[in-house]
Each structure stands twice: as structure tokens, then as C-alpha cells.
Amino acid sequence: MPSGGRGTVVHDAGCPKTGNGGTDLGAMEALDALMRPGARACHDCDAATVLIPALELGQDYV
């Protein structure tokens, strides 16, 4: 989900920090979004806990 001019921040669907105007993404889309320069996963919800390990798994195949 875009976050002002600060890059993409990916949140879990129930995260209270999402704000308005975000886009719902599937798991693969969220992982793709995290691969963009400056993107990060929110650490206030489960996004970082779930997505970062999944993203790191893909590093073995690149």
C-alpha cells in the first residue's frame, strides 16, 4: 500500500495503520510489492512476520 512519498508499505488486512486508499493484494502481489526499491513490510501487524520469511525463501532460487 502506498504511503505518501515514503515508498510502499505492505500491511496485513487487519492492520490499524493501513489508513485509507490502500489496495488489497494477494500473497504473491504483496511479495512482488516488497521487492520494489524502498518497499517494506509493516512491523506493527503480521505482514513482516509472514512475508519476510517467504521473500527470503525465494532468494535461494534467484
Side-chain angles (χ1 to χ4, degrees):
M1 295 180 181
S3 174
R6 300 181 307 246
T8 299
V9 180
V10 178
H11 299 272
D12 184 69
C15 182
K17 302 241 177 180
T18 58
N20 295 326
T23 302
D24 287 338
L25 303 174
M28 294 305 292
E29 293 171 312
L31 291 171
D32 287 342
L34 284 176
M35 291 174 30
R36 296 179 190 151
R40 64 185 178 86
C42 177
H43 286 275
D44 294 324
C45 64
D46 288 336
T49 303
V50 172
L51 295 172
I52 298 300
L55 192 62
E56 290 171 352
L57 285 173
Q59 299 294 322
D60 294 337
Y61 299 103
V62 175

